[in-house]
Each structure stands twice: as structure tokens, then as C-alpha cells.
Amino acid sequence: MALGAPALVSLLGRRAFLVMALAPASAAVYALAWTDRVMSGEHPTQVVEWVPGLGLELAFRMDTLSWLMLLLVGGVGALVLVYCSAYFSPTAQGLRRFGGVLTAFAGAMVGLVTADDMLLLFVFWELTTVFSYLLIGHYADRKASRRAAMQAIVVTTAGGLAMLVGVVILGVQGGTFRMSEIIADPPTGGAVTAAIVCLLIGAASKSALIPLHFWLPAAMAAPTPVSAYLHAAAMVKAGVYLVARFAPAYSDTTVWRSMVIALGAGTLLVGGYRALRQYDLKLVLAFGTVSQLGLIILLVGLGARGAALAGLAMIGAHAMFKASLFLVVGVVDAATGTRDLRRLTGVGKALPWTAVAGGLATASMIGLPPFAGYVAKEAALESLLHGDGPVWVDTVVLWAVVVGSMFTVAYGIRFWWGAFASKPHLGTSPSRANEHVGLRRSAARGPAVAADEPPIDPARIHRQPFLLVSPAVVLAVLGLATALVPHFGEDLLAPYADTYPVGEPGHLVLWAGFTPALALTVLVLAVGVVLFWQRARVERFQASLWTGPEADVTYRKVMRKLDDLAADVTAVTQRGSLPFYLGAILVVLVLGPGIVMVAQTAWPEQLKAWDRPAQLVAVAAICIASVLAARSRRRLKAVILVGIAGYGNAVLFLLHGAPDLALTQVLVETITLVVMVLVLRRLPAYFSNRPLAASRWVRLGIGLAVAVVMMGFAVVAPLARVATPISVDFPAEAYEFGHGKNIVNVTLVDIRAWDTMGEISVLLAAATGVASLVFLRTRSGEILRASGARPATTSSGSGSGVWSEGDDPGAALRRRGVTEKDQPRMLVWLSAGRTLAPQRRSVIFEVVTRVLFHAMIVFALFLLFSGHNAPGGGFAAGLVVGIALIVRYLAGGRYELGEAAPVHPGLLLGTGLFLSAGVGLVAFLLTGNVLGSDAYDIALPLVGEIHLVTSLFFDVGVFLVVVGLVLDILRTLGAEIDRHAERAAAGREPGEDTGPFEAMEPDSIGGGRR
């Protein structure tokens, strides 16, 4: 569904969100269908082997906790997507991407809460991080959105990496990565203690616990549906889920209890305290969410059965009332254009259904009966009053919950009053709207309101669409309905709470009589009402206190210092000199592995210098060329010498009985040599203006040292082998399974076809990168053809044409009087030869090119089709065609290149990659084996028996990619650099435009679009 979301939005507009809602809704329906079996203790499990050799598997399991989370993720996700269909404007930008990412996030959350393999859990964990980054930064044109998205991904990714360390330690210590097995038989020890700390750090980052809570309020820059889903029911609950999942195994350890109490209680109090002074409705809910997450972490992480039951109930209640409240804020914002509670008045009368939904959800949040929040909070207080731990610990936790709940009542009433109440004093004077709080701006409170900024006019508030209001109403009503049947919730959630190690079983009830827990509830409500009543004094009291360093400010300072440190380190190590970088790498190679090789490696007793004298000649040529290249000052000289060394290697391959490698080496060296020469046209002739004799000796010394070390590796590496190499079976496997006798080619297209797939993907990326760097103008699919070019002319010694680059000193010596009508009597060897500058043409070269080009194409096809059983293959065939295209380009210029290959290189690259991938997909559908091959013997009249192997089509894909790469390089490093040079000769910069339609003008030589 996520992949099809962009197409759905393009087809249906914002109504596509209604279709997307079916995806998370299906997860909720699946959870509901399993309700009875989950209640009876049946836990469906699905395991798919992923990489059996490494023990990696896709393991999914649904117990009571997973059932609860799956129901919330699916149900709330579906309602939020329905809400999106009315929230966004029909003309809103980026809805295709938003719909796909939000649906993909829902899928990642489904995987996270059902994964039974810890490594798989981490994969889904990080997927939610990436998707949340994209969702929070949806409004990419706003600095606040970009900053909030970056802050969220930095914090949560850091926590995720810490969690990964803990997962790996637990898996290694426990001998398995299955969570169900780890929790059933938890490993112990010092390493496991470190793993517990890492897991809790990951949970703290994801669930916005102190001191990492600051990213959640900043994330309110996201669209309201994102806040309602990610920050109420899904993403922030991932940390809660992690704590609840591992609490039955490790809640009895000291480090677990200490961290859970400190993080949970601290977050509960800090979030509630900060929510009391917010003016932005979303920020009130954001800090309230921080506070509620601290409460839930405290309950599910304490380790007591009663508290765990209350915590599970609070997970469900919080998802319903907080998602509803965020959706309500979106409705208010859409109707009034503001979320500032200092300007809102009369909204409840104008939006009665929205006010009712907000009132029901607020009542559940502050713990009024008969709502789900009240049932969960009563169970929590009852459990904490009968705690099983040390008295002082139980007392601290109990009063932290009581005080935090008082804050919840105060900011809950503040929220509903600020959003919906009619405030008569706002109508008298704009300045009185802010009289009780002052006008001092605070980043923590939200936007400042100027004295002349009036409150909204209730008469201008219009009713909002049904689809915008109904999701919030549904969630708020569900918070009431579930509380009316608390025994049903207890039956569902008690099985998981009973897995906790200590404590009496808890109960979910609407009325438990006159108990100490009820007295605490009355106290909480009374104090909370007083705090709201005296809100002006509370805000002034908060403003008078020393706040200390705020977490978000500290984060920005740390990141700024980190950037400065990175810049300083980069200034020292990244000097902008490629020779320095390469030299540093090679020196480390010599001093590191080289010294270890000399000191601690066994050497063979005898060495054979060569098999035949011809090898000595080739090695001597390689050594001489390498030494001269290291001492060369001229770039062209160095390139040619390096090419000679490459051809020498090809000779060595041939002498060792590897004609396939020798052929490929020769072809690669040839193309590389030509490409380097094309690049050198735009570079200075010398590496430096000074001789720099000392640097020559340094380069030579490093080169010799590396050569000696690499020769040593070649000698000692075979002696270190302790197992039979897999290449021993390659000949038999190539013939039996790959159906070919050329081991090299069969290895590339069958045995290690995945590697080849990755390599051709890199080739495609490299071609794109090179073209992006060279093309200073907009790239187009226009092919430069000779029919659209003007012929080159020579007049008064001033030449025009491809590669003219100035005056023609030999113009006076050429025969004059040949007119255009005389041209047909002359034999045309190359179609675009007439576009070349006369001084650049070579009749002999054109004749040889005309004779050889088609023969080279035929030879390439022979290599392509015979490569499975003889030297050749798609790679070598593509290189031969590439050399043929290079010859045509060198003989006739860029227009001749268009005549030789009138096709866009991107089409060849894409088709080749698609064909190679398609072969793998077809093989998978037919045989279940990706990139597998099969052979067919076909008898054709006049031709005879043909042995067709399906991997040939994969080889054709490789062939097209190589041809496309060479063609793209010729268009960029050849034709485009030619254009740069011609424009420079004409006194214009390569990227200089003369007007808005300059890109549509013909080249100075004629023909084609820019």
C-alpha cells in the first residue's frame, strides 16, 4: 500500500487516504480476529528463514502485549488516515510522499510490535526513526520543521545504536536472538547489566524521557496527523513497548529499577510542570505526552503485577485520549487559524462536536470517572499503595505519581478551557488577553502575542467537515466505552501482567469502594483544580524561578561544538590533496599490515621466480613503466606509462593461461587510456609548475614499499588458508549448474550474479554522477545528429566546426573552389565528417573507422553469445562496442557519435539494469531461486543445434549497461567538454547563459538543442 500511495494520490487526490486507511485497519482487524485465542494463551508464531548460514530469520509472534499494540497501531492509524482525507487542502503539495511515508510508518510499527527476533526488532525500530524524520520534516520549506526533524533523528538514532549494542550482548550471552526465549530464560552477568542499560537508553530516546525529552515538543512542527499518530499512539510507544517487553525478565535487577524510577518519575514531573506554562495547544499536549510517557514507563517497568496491569491499561487509554486531543487541536487550528489559547474564545459554541470530543478525551486524561484514564490511574494508585519494594522507594514512586497527576489535571483543564471556553475579558481589549501572563517571549511557551494582536472573532468560525471531526469523536467515545467494561480489559491484559516476577495481581474496576486510592484521586483532582484556578500566579511563580540549562538549548550547544570540532579535524586531515590522501592510506598499509606480515607470518621455504622467461620480460616492462610514471611531471606521460603497466598485466594473465582476464584487461586499459586523455584536455600539462624533485622520490619510495608489501601478501596469504577454497568446486558447478564451460563468465552471470548486479548498479550510479558533474546546463534526451548540423567552413584563416578552437593556420594551403553542389561527387566515409574543423580531419582515420566499426560490432556480438563456453561475455562485448564508439567519436566528433549510437545512454543503462533484475525475478517466480539459470537445446533449420542458457539474458543486461556507460562518458567527458572548449574559445564561460531561452538555441556548430 505504501508503494502504491503516490499513484493513489495522483488518481484520487486526498481521498486516497481513505483507501490507505485500509492497510492499518487490516492489522487491527487481524488483532481482533485473534482476540479469543490470545486470551486463551495461544500465541501465533511465524518464522521465515532469511540467511540460514548466519542464523538470521524473520520471526514474528503475537502475545497479549503485541496484540494490544497491534490493535492500537492499526486502529488509531486507520482513523488518522481518514482524518488526513479532510485535513489537507486539495491543492496541498507533497501529499504523494506524505501518504506513502505515513503508511510505511504504520507498517514498520506493525513489524516492530510483532517481531520476535531482536535483530529484526532493531530493523523496524530504525525504520520508524527514518520515517518519522520524513514525516516531522514534511514542511521542508520551514526552518522549524527541518530543525525538528534533524533533532528527532539524531536523538532517536543515537538511542537506537545504544539499543543495538544491548541487543547484540543479550543475543550473544543468551545464545539466541529470539526475544521469547531470552525472556523465558534470561541470561545474567556483568555484560547483561550493560545490555540492560543500553536497552533503557534506547527506550528513553524513543519515548522522550529526560534528559532526551526535548525532541518531542519540537516535533510539533509536524502536521497534526503526524502528532496524533506518532506522538500519541505509535512511535513514542515503541520505547514503552521495549520496557514492557523486557520488564518480566529484568525488572528485579537493581540497575533496571533504579533507571526506570529515575527516568519515569523525573519525566512525569518535568513534563507536567512544563505543560502548565504553555500557550500553544499542541505544546500543552506535547509536554503532557512527555509526562504521561514517564508515568507509563514507571508503571510497566516497576516489575509489580498490579502496576503492570495498570500500565497496560494506561497504554490503551493514553493512545485513545491523546490521539483524540491532537486531532481536536487540528480541527481548532483549521477553523480559527491559531493554536494560541490566549486568542481563542467562543470556539466551543461554534464547534460543539469538537468541544464534546475534547471534553471527553480531557476527562479521560485527567482521570475523571467513568473513563479509561480513571480506571487505569485507580489501578495504578491501588498497586503503589500496596508496593512490595522498600518503603522509601514505594513512597517516592507513589507521591511522584500523585504530584504528576495533579499537574495533569491542571494542564488538562487549562487545555480545554483555552481551546473551547468563552472568555469575556478577551473582548474588551486586545492587551487584556495577555494581562495575566505578560508579553515576555519564551521559546518554551510558544509564539509571543503582541499587544495589538486581537483575539479571534467567534462569528467567523465555521463548522468543519464530518471526516475531520469524526475520528476525534470516535476515539474519545471509545475511551468512555472501554471504561464501562473494565473486567473485559482485565481479562485481556492480565495474562501478560501475570508474567511479571513480583506483586499481587491487580484489578481494573470502576468502583472499588471508599479506599485510600479514592482519597488520593480526590486530592489529585482538588489540587489540580486549584492550580488551574490560580494559573496566573502559578505562571508568575514559574517565571520567577531559576530554570537552569534547558535540554534543547544544551543539545544545540553540543551540536554546535561538535560541528566546530569536525571542522577543525577536517581542516587538518582533509587538505584537498588527493595524492596526500592516497599516500596516507598507502603508508598505513605498509606500517600496519606490512609490519605484522614481516614480524609474525611464516614464510615459504622455497620460492619459484617464474614459470617461463616471457613472464620476466612482462614484469620488467611493468616495473619500468611504474617507476617512470611515479617520477613523471607530465600528466599525459604518466597516463601512457600507467597504461603500459596495465597492458603488461594483461600479458601476465595470458601467460598464466587466463585469456578471458587478459582480454578484459586489454579492453579496460584501452578505454581507460582514452577516457583519461579526454579528461586531460581540460587539465594543465604538468602536475605542478615546479620540478618538485623531492616529491618524486617520496612517491617512488611509497610505491616501492607498497609493491614489496603486496608481493609479500601474495606469497604468505596462501599459506594462511586453513579451509578448502570454494573455488575448487567452481569448474564442476559452472558446468553442472551454470551450463557453461567458461568459468569466469558463468561465475559472473550465475554463481556470483548478485555481485554482478551490485557492480552494474554502481556503474549506473557512476555514470549519473559523472554526467551531473560535467553537464553545467540542463541535460536532455536530445541526440546530436549530422543532419541537424551546419558544415564546417574556413574563411580567411578562421575556422569553424567541431574541435576548431581558433584560427586555422593551414587554410591558405587548402584547395579552394569546392562548393556544396560539388560535395556529392566525393565519397563520404563518415556521415558527420563535414562537421569537423578541416584541420582536424584525417581521411585515413575516417576510412579505417568505416572499415573496422562494423567488424568490431560483429566481433562484440560473437563475444556476447559465445562467452558462456569460450572467452568473452557481456562485459567484454560491451567494452568492444565501447571502443568502437570511441573510434567513431575520435574520427568524426560528437555528431558522428550521435550517428553511431542514436540512442540516449540513460535508456541503455536503465534497460540493462531492468533486464538483469528481470531475469532474476523471472527465475524466482519459476524456480524459487533468484538469478538461477536453466539450459534449453533448440534445433533450428539451417542453423542446427543451439544450446541456450537463460543467464544469457542477464549477460545481455550487463552488455547494455557497459555500452550505456561508455556512451554516457563519451557524451560527458567527450562531447560536452568539446562544447565547453568551443565556448571558451568564443569568449564565453561554459555555464554562461545569454538569456532565458539560451538552452533552446542551436550549438555554434549547428544542430541539436542545448
Side-chain angles (χ1 to χ4, degrees), residues 129-172:
T129 296
V130 174
F131 292 143
S132 68
Y133 167 77
L134 298 174
L135 292 171
I136 295 172
H138 174 69
Y139 299 122
D141 56 332
R142 303 177 186 177
K143 182 178 180 180
S145 295
R146 298 194 302 270
R147 177 180 292 176
M150 183 60 66
Q151 192 177 81
I153 196 172
V154 168
V155 174
T156 54
T157 300
L161 293 176
M163 188 195 79
L164 176 62
V165 174
V167 163
V168 172
I169 294 175
L170 280 182
V172 172

Side-chain angles (χ1 to χ4, degrees), residues 749 753-754 756-758 760-761 764 909-925 929-932 950-958 960-961:
V749 301
W754 274 115
T756 306
M757 178 69 70
I760 62 176
S761 300
L764 191 148
L909 290 167
T911 304
L913 187 61
F914 176 79
L915 183 60
S916 298
V919 169
L921 179 61
V922 171
F924 176 75
L925 294 177
N929 185 16
V930 180
L931 294 175
T950 55
S951 59
L952 172 65
F953 299 101
F954 182 90
D955 220 7
V956 172
V958 175
L960 293 177
V961 168

